[in-house]
């Protein structure tokens, strides 16, 4: 790995496909009885910078409400960013309008969590798959399209007879395969997969994970995988970014992140994931976080995590928001005391849970509905 | 074994009837027992009958359209023979239940305090004021900060984790001897899940409540259950003490499930070995083993003869013609 002095690119070599710079998505909170006034903002994504290299799988993890789905959508401009920019293969997406943006979208596709609600129940599989090709002028020759569709279906492991069927005739895993095939029809460079396997049973989940790995090899795809399941993300990703309350708190190679997590939140998150092995479970030490996620409408000052952090230090953590900085080669952490915590110079202490007003978070309090996303509630897919 | 048991489920069968459709047996001869202070896990994927089993135990299945067979003996009484009103008396007092989605299991227009105290008024006959004081204690015990203020709040004002805690507080209000938790953490984030699981483990340890934990997550089972029942298509296919189950899964289905989960501490980049096909592949089946169409170990006999439950290893039960052989066992 080549070391460069640029602050955000030390682990990334030249071939950057997506360069996200200080991206912000702030949703207005409307209020007032008669006048529709903006009374505040939900800081769903608040200054995220990351780079995705061509051909790699970048995993984005975090709990519900951390802004990971919004970040993924903002990268494709499916939600309009309120600040920062996204440079896709040398082109600044925020400068594109109308037709040029539409044409650029061919190269970036999305796979959604719930395959049933993201497929039109009244369209046959063939019509679902051809739609995108037609929109991008890839459906010129009938015979060629038919061959292409059959090839695609066989690469995602479905029989050609599936073309004439409708989404309800398939199982969850098969539907997700259709969703993936749809993304592939337009020969994209980047696929953003938002919770691609979390709606599936474990035995089927593994099939789809393997399929995605095969397709990456076959078509030279770049993935950005958004997921809340840390074990899945570790398995498929080359690099992983951990989000908390709208910001990246840690970013590292998959192996390094899981072997030596530096940010207190990453540590707590990893220690909370159950491992299907009683021998390991009995020995593990859990870092139990107190309390809930604070509201992104009124994020705590200073470090976003300080209200729940067992390693919190007086003064600095409460007032100064830590920058994402490189602590180990290739490992960026947003924590003032990452080195001290790693060396054991700061010991964890008891945290009293602070009250979190769930009512105040309003639409963001989606924790009961599982890994939902801000955008689904605010704007729809 | 059954003399010690608090709950003894024998040959539980649940069949659903629908006009114009063939009757569907969702739970087919499930037997297990639970001793006080023990945690028994029911694990399986969607459609394996784990939730229907718990609803049948609690007497919460609709009277029409569902036939329940077998017996569910709780301290010498067969719960299946009780009248609806007698069962209502038991639920909430002797039997508590925690559901998956706390928002839809709580009444949105009744304050948390009233919902918790209602249980105490109904089953322990406490007057409202006393019940409220006790409700605050319960909320405190399950780790809800500032419980007195929470009493007057409504479910939508609580976060997902807090709602689940409130639900656990309700289930525990009358110190039930059996608690059934149906996917209690599935809707929660991992850090909140860890809090709730720690809370459940503490409750079992401190109060001696027996716990039936229903989940699809083998990781949760590994941390919490003493004994695990793996369900497939309405039947228990394997039962074992948790260490044995995870170290030496005998049924090809259990083995397949474990091999298909990416592990946080496993080797990375290794390909997962999924179970082929999906659960839908085996419904309906007439004879033979339900897992046979997806089983890598399937023999001809598997498609013809339904395997019986046989003893396997210390305390283990297995329903398979051709179980997975672990090499270290052969040499030992």
């Amino acid at each position: 790995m080549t070391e460069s002095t640029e602050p955000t690119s030390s682990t990334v070599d030249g071939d950057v496909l997506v360069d996200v710079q200080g991206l912000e998505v702030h949703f207005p909170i409307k209020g007032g009885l008669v006048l529709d006034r903006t009374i505040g903002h939900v800081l769903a994504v608040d200054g995220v910078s990351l780079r995705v290299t061509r051909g790699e799988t970048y995993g984005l993890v975090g709990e519900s409400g951390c802004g990971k789905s919004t970040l993924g959508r903002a990268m494709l401009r499916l939600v309009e960013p309120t600040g920062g920019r996204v440079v896709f293969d040398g082109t600044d997406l925020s400068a594109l309008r109308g037709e040029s943006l539409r044409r650029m979208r061919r190269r970036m596709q999305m796979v959604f969590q719930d395959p049933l609600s993201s497929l039109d129940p009244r369209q046959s599989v063939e019509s679902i798959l051809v739609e995108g090709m037609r929109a991008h002028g890839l459906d010129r020759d009938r015979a060629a399209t038919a061959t292409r569709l059959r090839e695609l279906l066989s690469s995602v492991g479905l029989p050609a007879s599936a073309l004439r069927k409708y989404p309800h005739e398939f199982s969850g895993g098969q539907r997700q395969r259709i969703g993936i095939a749809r993304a592939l029809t337009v020969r994209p460079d980047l696929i953003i997969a938002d919770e691609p396997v979390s709606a599936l049973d474990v035995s089927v989940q593994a099939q789809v994970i393997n399929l995605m790995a095969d397709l990456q090899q076959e078509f030279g795809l770049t993935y950005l995988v958004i997921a809340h399941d840390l074990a899945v993300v570790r398995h498929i990703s080359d690099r992983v970014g951990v989000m908390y309350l709208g910001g990246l708190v840690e970013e590292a190679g998959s192996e390094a992140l899981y072997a030596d997590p530096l940010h207190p939140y990453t540590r707590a998150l990893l220690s909370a994931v159950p491992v299907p092995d009683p021998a390991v479970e009995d020995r593990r030490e859990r870092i139990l976080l107190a309390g809930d996620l604070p509201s992104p409408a009124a994020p705590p000052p200073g470090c976003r995590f300080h209200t729940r952090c067992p390693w919190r230090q007086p003064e600095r953590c409460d007032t100064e928001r830590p920058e994402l900085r490189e602590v180990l080669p290739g490992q960026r952490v947003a924590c003032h005391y990452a080195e001290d915590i790693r060396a054991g110079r700061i010991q964890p202490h008891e945290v009293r849970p602070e009250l979190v007003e769930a009512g105040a978070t309003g639409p963001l309090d989606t924790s009961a509905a599982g890994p939902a996303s801000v955008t689904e509630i605010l704007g729809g897919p | 074994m059954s003399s010690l048991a608090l709950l003894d489920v024998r040959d539980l069968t649940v069949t659903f009837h629908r006009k114009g459709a063939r009757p569907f047996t969702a739970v087919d001869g499930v037997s297990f027992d639970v001793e006080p202070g023990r945690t028994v896990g029911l694990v399986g994927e969607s459609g394996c009958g784990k939730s229907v089993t718990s609803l049948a135990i609690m007497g919460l299945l609709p009277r029409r359209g569902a036939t329940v067979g077998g017996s569910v003996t709780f301290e010498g009484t067969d719960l299946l023979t009780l009248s609806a009103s007698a069962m209502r008396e038991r639920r909430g007092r002797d039997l508590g239940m925690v559901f998956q989605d706390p928002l839809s299991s709580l009444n949105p227009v009744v304050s948390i305090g009233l919902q918790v105290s209602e249980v105490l008024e109904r089953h322990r006959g406490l007057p409202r004021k006393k019940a409220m004081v006790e409700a605050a204690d319960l909320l405190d015990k399950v780790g809800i900060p500032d419980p007195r203020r929470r009493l007057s709040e409504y479910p939508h004002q609580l976060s997902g984790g807090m709602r689940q805690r409130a639900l656990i507080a309700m289930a525990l209000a009358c110190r039930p001897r059996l608690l059934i938790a149906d996917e209690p953490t599935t809707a929660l984030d991992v850090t909140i899940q860890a809090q709730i699981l720690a809370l459940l483990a503490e409750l079992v340890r401190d109060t001696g409540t027996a716990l039936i934990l229903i989940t699809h997550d083998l990781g949760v089972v590994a941390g919490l259950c003493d004994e695990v029942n793996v369900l497939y298509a309405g039947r228990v296919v394997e039962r074992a003490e948790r260490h044995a189950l995870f170290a030496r899964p005998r049924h090809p289905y259990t083995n397949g499930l474990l091999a298909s989960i990416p592990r946080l501490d496993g080797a990375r980049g290794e390909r997962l070995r999924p179970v082929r096909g999906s659960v839908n592949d085996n419904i309906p089946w007439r004879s033979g083993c339900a897992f046979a169409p997806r089983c890598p170990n399937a023999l001809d006999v598997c498609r013809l003869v339904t395997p019986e439950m046989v003893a396997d290893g210390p305390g283990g039960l297995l329903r398979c013609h051709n179980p997975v052989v672990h090499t270290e066992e052969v040499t030992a």
Side-chain angles (χ1 to χ4, degrees):
Chain A
M1 226 171 274
T2 48
E3 298 292 311
S4 98
T5 46
E6 222 182 315
T8 55
S9 68
S10 44
T11 60
V12 182
D13 48 38
D15 204 8
V16 176
L17 183 65
V18 193
D19 188 359
V20 179
Q21 299 164 1
L23 198 69
E24 284 180 6
V25 182
H26 295 176
F27 294 111
I29 305 171
K30 301 284 188 183
L33 277 174
V34 185
L35 295 166
D36 206 15
R37 282 177 309 147
T38 302
I39 51 171
H41 281 95
V42 172
L43 314 180
V45 178
D46 197 21
V48 170
S49 301
L50 59 89
R51 289 178 171 194
V52 183
T53 318
R54 205 181 294 274
E56 81 168 339
T57 302
Y58 189 101
L60 210 50
V61 288
E63 297 180 285
S64 8
C66 73
K68 56 189 191 300
S69 292
T70 308
L71 174 60
R73 281 161 203 244
M75 282 168 71
L76 300 186
R77 275 187 68 193
L78 294 176
V79 283
E80 208 57 51
T82 49
R85 46 185 220 145
V86 179
V87 178
F88 180 84
D89 206 9
T91 314
D92 184 356
L93 291 185
S94 54
L96 296 181
R97 294 279 175 278
E99 186 59 16
S100 51
L101 176 64
R102 197 185 72 82
R103 254 185 277 128
M104 193 52 119
R105 285 223 168 104
R106 180 190 67 76
R107 302 179 56 193
M108 331 172 267
Q109 289 293 311
M110 191 137 186
V111 173
F112 297 94
Q113 169 176 3
D114 181 357
L116 189 55
S117 63
S118 57
L119 299 173
D120 185 339
R122 285 167 298 187
Q123 266 185 305
S124 69
V125 171
E126 178 167 16
S127 147
I128 288 171
L129 296 181
V130 167
E131 197 174 27
M133 296 174 71
R134 205 160 278 161
H136 290 289
L138 299 168
D139 173 36
R140 296 235 168 78
D141 173 2
R142 219 157 211 250
T145 303
T147 329
R148 167 120 181 95
L149 290 188
R150 233 171 284 128
E151 278 171 13
L152 266 177
L153 282 181
S154 87
S155 14
V156 298
L158 289 174
S161 62
L163 282 176
R164 283 184 304 279
K165 291 190 181 170
Y166 289 82
H168 75 268
E169 296 177 79
F170 297 93
S171 67
Q174 288 170 323
R175 277 182 210 133
Q176 197 56 288
R177 287 167 195 266
I178 296 169
I180 293 171
R182 173 177 61 182
L184 291 174
T185 51
V186 293
R187 303 178 195 276
D189 299 308
L190 172 73
I191 288 188
I192 295 189
D194 190 356
E195 302 276 6
V197 295
S198 51
L200 307 174
D201 270 322
V202 276
S203 64
V204 179
Q205 185 175 322
Q207 296 170 3
V208 174
I209 290 173
N210 282 349
L211 171 69
M212 286 183 68
D214 293 343
L215 293 173
Q216 183 165 38
Q217 287 241 306
E218 195 179 336
F219 299 108
L221 297 166
T222 306
Y223 286 142
L224 182 96
V225 178
I226 300 163
H228 71 287
D229 187 327
L230 288 128
V232 166
V233 167
R234 172 179 181 267
H235 183 84
I236 56 182
S237 309
D238 302 308
R239 284 194 305 138
V240 178
V242 183
M243 280 186 81
Y244 184 78
L245 223 53
L248 270 183
V249 295
E250 185 161 2
E251 183 193 62
S254 180
E255 214 65 77
L257 184 83
Y258 287 81
D260 192 7
L262 295 180
H263 196 282
Y265 177 64
T266 319
R267 289 183 164 213
L269 200 59
L270 288 177
S271 81
V273 179
V275 171
D277 186 343
V280 176
E281 281 290 307
D282 291 351
R283 272 187 283 112
R284 281 177 96 198
E285 259 183 61
R286 286 242 150 81
I287 305 168
L288 281 185
L289 287 183
D292 294 304
L293 200 71
S295 161
C303 175
R304 297 278 155 92
F305 187 57
H306 84 253
T307 54
R308 299 168 79 195
C309 181
W311 283 274
R312 169 193 179 185
Q313 298 299 306
E315 287 293 314
R316 203 173 169 203
C317 291
D318 306 0
T319 53
E320 189 187 331
R321 190 174 176 192
E323 289 289 316
L324 204 58
R325 62 199 170 90
E326 188 153 358
V327 172
L328 293 175
Q331 193 157 0
R332 298 195 294 154
V333 186
C335 176
H336 295 306
Y337 298 100
E339 290 90 347
D340 295 331
I341 293 169
R342 182 164 185 258
R345 286 193 290 272
I346 300 177
Q347 289 303 315
H349 49 73
E350 190 80 7
V351 181
R352 278 187 53 80
E354 284 186 27
L355 274 183
V356 174
E357 286 308 316
T361 64
L364 277 146
D365 183 47
T366 55
S367 43
S373 65
V374 185
T375 32
E376 265 160 40
I377 282 119
L378 288 175
Chain B
M1 192 153 92
S2 51
S3 60
L4 274 170
L6 180 72
L7 180 82
D8 186 3
V9 179
R10 283 286 150 260
D11 288 321
L12 186 71
T13 303
V14 180
T15 309
F16 290 107
H17 305 276
R18 226 176 59 196
K19 231 180 201 165
R22 97 175 48 226
F24 177 73
T25 306
V27 176
D28 193 1
V30 166
S31 302
F32 62 91
D33 44 37
V34 191
E35 288 157 32
R38 300 258 297 171
T39 303
V40 173
L42 299 182
V43 204
E45 295 180 288
S46 11
C48 72
K50 53 193 194 297
S51 289
V52 176
T53 303
S54 71
L55 293 177
I57 295 171
M58 294 295 282
L60 289 172
L61 286 171
R63 299 253 145 183
R64 291 172 55 154
T67 322
V68 182
S71 69
V72 176
T73 314
F74 181 79
E75 296 191 312
T77 321
D78 185 356
L79 297 180
L80 297 182
T81 61
L82 291 180
S83 68
S85 63
M87 196 59 208
R88 235 185 344 262
E89 214 38 61
R90 291 269 173 157
R91 272 198 302 267
R93 204 186 58 204
D94 295 334
L95 311 164
M97 183 143 183
V98 178
F99 295 92
Q100 170 174 356
D101 182 359
L103 190 55
S104 60
S105 342
L106 290 167
N107 188 337
V109 294
V110 177
S111 71
I112 295 291
L114 216 50
Q115 294 195 53
V116 180
S117 62
E118 189 188 12
V119 189
L120 297 162
E121 288 172 45
R122 170 83 174 71
H123 289 292
R124 298 218 334 242
L126 294 181
R128 169 68 52 88
K129 272 205 170 135
K130 254 188 152 167
M132 275 295 189
V133 173
E134 190 134 330
D137 281 352
L138 279 165
L139 293 185
D140 189 40
K141 209 178 284 171
V142 295
I144 295 182
D146 200 357
R148 287 186 179 282
R149 222 186 82 204
R150 294 284 166 189
L151 287 178
S152 56
E153 293 193 343
Y154 291 85
H156 74 272
Q157 292 172 292
L158 269 63
S159 68
M162 288 300 152
R163 281 181 208 135
Q164 196 60 285
R165 284 169 194 265
L167 212 60
I168 292 175
M170 280 168 67
L172 293 174
C174 294
R175 298 184 202 101
R177 267 154 311 157
L178 176 71
L179 183 66
I180 301 181
D182 188 352
E183 304 270 13
T185 58
T186 309
L188 306 174
D189 278 316
V190 274
T191 55
I192 309 295
Q193 165 170 291
Q195 295 172 0
I196 298 290
L197 292 179
L199 174 65
L200 284 175
E202 197 183 297
L203 289 170
V204 169
R205 201 177 52 233
D206 295 352
T207 62
T209 303
L211 176 66
I212 298 180
L213 182 75
I214 295 167
T215 179
H216 71 284
D217 190 334
L218 285 162
V220 170
V221 170
L224 205 57
C225 296
D226 300 307
E227 184 189 275
V228 188
N229 292 283
V230 182
L231 273 81
Y232 190 80
R235 292 175 191 179
V236 176
V237 292
E238 181 168 7
R239 161 173 327 151
E241 182 271 328
R242 67 174 173 142
H243 286 281
L245 185 86
F246 286 90
R248 292 178 301 280
R250 291 277 285 156
H251 198 282
Y253 176 61
T254 319
N255 197 37
L257 271 187
L258 285 171
S260 54
I261 314 173
R263 277 177 57 160
L264 209 53
D265 59 344
R268 209 185 79 82
E270 214 173 86
R271 260 183 95 78
L272 300 175
R273 286 167 289 129
V275 184
R276 65 184 175 201
S278 73
V279 188
N280 302 20
D281 294 355
N282 46 51
I283 299 171
W285 79 98
R286 283 179 193 80
S287 61
C289 171
F291 187 59
R294 304 176 68 190
C295 183
N297 277 17
L299 308 171
D300 288 341
V301 63
C302 297
R303 291 172 213 286
L304 301 169
V305 185
T306 308
E308 289 299 317
M309 200 72 155
V310 291
D312 182 74
L317 288 172
L318 183 68
R319 193 192 280 277
C320 184
H321 290 305
N322 188 19
V324 179
V325 179
H326 293 271
T327 40
E328 67 268 61
E329 268 182 345
V330 178
T331 50

